[in-house]
Amino acid sequence: MISHPLRYALLAAWIVLLAATPLVADNYTVRIAITVAMYSAMALSWNFIGGFAGYPSFSTAAFFGLGCYAGALAQRNGVPLVLAWALATLFVTAFAVALGAIILRLKGHYFAIGSIAVVEVVRLVISSWGSLTGGGDGLNVPLLEGGPDRVASTVLYVMLAVMLAAFVATVLVDRARLGFGLRCINQNEDAADMVGIDTTRYKIMAYALSALFCGTVGAIYASWVGYIDPTDSFSILLTVKVPVMVLLGGAGTVLGPVVGAGLFVLLEEFFWANFLEWNRAILGGIIVFLIFFLPGGFLKLDYRKLLRRKPTPAKQGGAA
C-alpha cells in the first residue's frame, strides 16, 4: 500500500507531466492530456454522489451539456469568457440543487433510471427550443483567441485547474462531516437518519457537487471545440463512461477517480488506434470485468496481501 504523502507526490508528478505536454509533445498528445484532465474533473465530481453517497447517478451528461449551452449562450450574448464559464457553473449547480430535491427521493435502481431520464428530457428540451439553442442544427460558439497550439495549451491549463479544484474539494469533503455523513448514507441510509444525520440535505449537497465541476468543464469544452449540438453534448455514452472511470480507480476514494480516468482514456486511445472495429467490444469487456472481478477498483486492492501469497509447494512422494 502506498502512503498518503507518496500518493499526493505521484499525483503532483502526474499533473506536471500533463502540463508539460505542450512543451514536449505534438497536438495529438496535448489533446489526450486535455481529455484526461477533463474526464478526471468529471470523475471526481461523480465521486461525491456515486462514490461517497453510493447513489448510482447517470446525470453527468445532463450537467455537462447544460454547462456547454449555458456557457455558449452567455458568450454569444456578449458575456466575457471567464464570466460566462462562472455563470454556466452557477446555473448547472442551481439546476442540480432544484432537481436533487425531487429526484433524490428515489433510491437504488429507481434513482438510476430517473437520472438517465433527466439526460433525455434535457436533451429533448434543448433540441426543441430552436429559437434559443439552435435546436438540432447546433450552436456556434465564439472561438478562443490565438493559434491552435496556443488554444490547446490554454484549454489544457484551464482543465487542469478545474481538475485540481475538484480534487481539493474531494479532500475537503473526505475530511469533513459531510464526507462522514455521505459514507454513513452509503452504508445504511435509514440508520444514518436515525442517528441525526440530515440525509436529505447531505444528498442534495453531494448531487450539487457532482454537477458543479461538470458544468464548468462543459462550458470550457464548448469554447474549445467552437460548436455544440444536443447529440454530442448530452451523450448517454458520456454518462456511462464517467462512473466506469471511478469504478476502475476506486469509488469513494480520493485518488481513485483520477487513476481511473487516466487509465480509461489511455486504454480507449490505444484500442481506437489498434482495434478500430473492436474497440467498443473491448471496452464493454472491461466494464464486465470490473463489475465481476474488480468491484472495488485498483486503489481498494490489498496489494500487500497479494504480494504475500506464495505458491503451495508440491507434495513429495515416496518414503523418507
Side-chain angles (χ1 to χ4, degrees), residues 18-211:
L18 293 175
T21 53
L23 303 176
V24 298
D26 56 13
N27 286 335
Y28 174 74
T29 306
V30 175
R31 185 189 63 81
I32 294 177
I34 294 173
T35 306
V36 169
M38 181 179 76
Y39 277 117
S40 296
M42 288 195 287
L44 286 164
S45 294
W46 187 89
N47 196 41
F48 291 115
I49 188 68
F52 287 122
Y55 267 65
S57 173
F58 292 98
S59 304
T60 302
F63 302 145
F64 176 83
L66 283 174
C68 288
Y69 274 89
L73 290 171
Q75 290 185 63
R76 286 169 62 92
N77 284 277
V79 178
L81 180 65
V82 177
L83 181 57
W85 294 346
L87 289 176
T89 302
L90 292 175
F91 173 77
V92 173
T93 305
F95 173 82
V97 171
L99 177 65
I102 302 171
I103 196 174
L104 286 169
R105 299 176 185 271
L106 303 174
K107 296 181 181 180
H109 54 278
Y110 296 106
F111 174 78
I113 294 171
S115 62
I116 293 176
V118 169
V119 178
E120 285 301 299
V121 169
V122 175
R123 184 183 65 81
L124 289 174
V125 170
I126 295 294
S127 299
S128 303
W129 202 349
S131 60
L132 178 66
T133 65
D137 294 332
L139 203 65
N140 290 318
V141 186
L143 296 174
L144 295 173
E145 296 181 358
D149 294 340
R150 180 181 175 185
V151 169
S153 59
T154 300
V155 172
L156 173 61
Y157 296 141
V158 174
M159 285 291 189
L160 284 174
V162 176
M163 168 186 162
L164 185 59
F167 176 76
V168 171
T170 300
V171 172
L172 293 176
V173 169
D174 180 62
R175 298 179 179 181
R177 179 178 175 83
L178 175 59
F180 174 77
L182 293 176
R183 286 194 170 91
C184 291
I185 292 172
N186 191 357
Q187 293 295 321
N188 191 320
E189 185 171 344
D190 293 331
D193 188 55
M194 291 177 62
V195 298
I197 295 175
D198 191 346
T199 56
T200 300
R201 182 168 64 91
Y202 277 28
K203 288 188 297 182
I204 292 175
M205 292 173 66
Y207 199 58
L209 285 170
S210 75

Side-chain angles (χ1 to χ4, degrees), residues 1 297-308:
M1 301 293 288
F298 280 106
L299 292 190
K300 288 189 177 181
L301 286 175
D302 191 344
Y303 293 100
R304 288 180 297 185
K305 185 177 180 180
L306 292 174
L307 292 174
R308 283 199 302 265

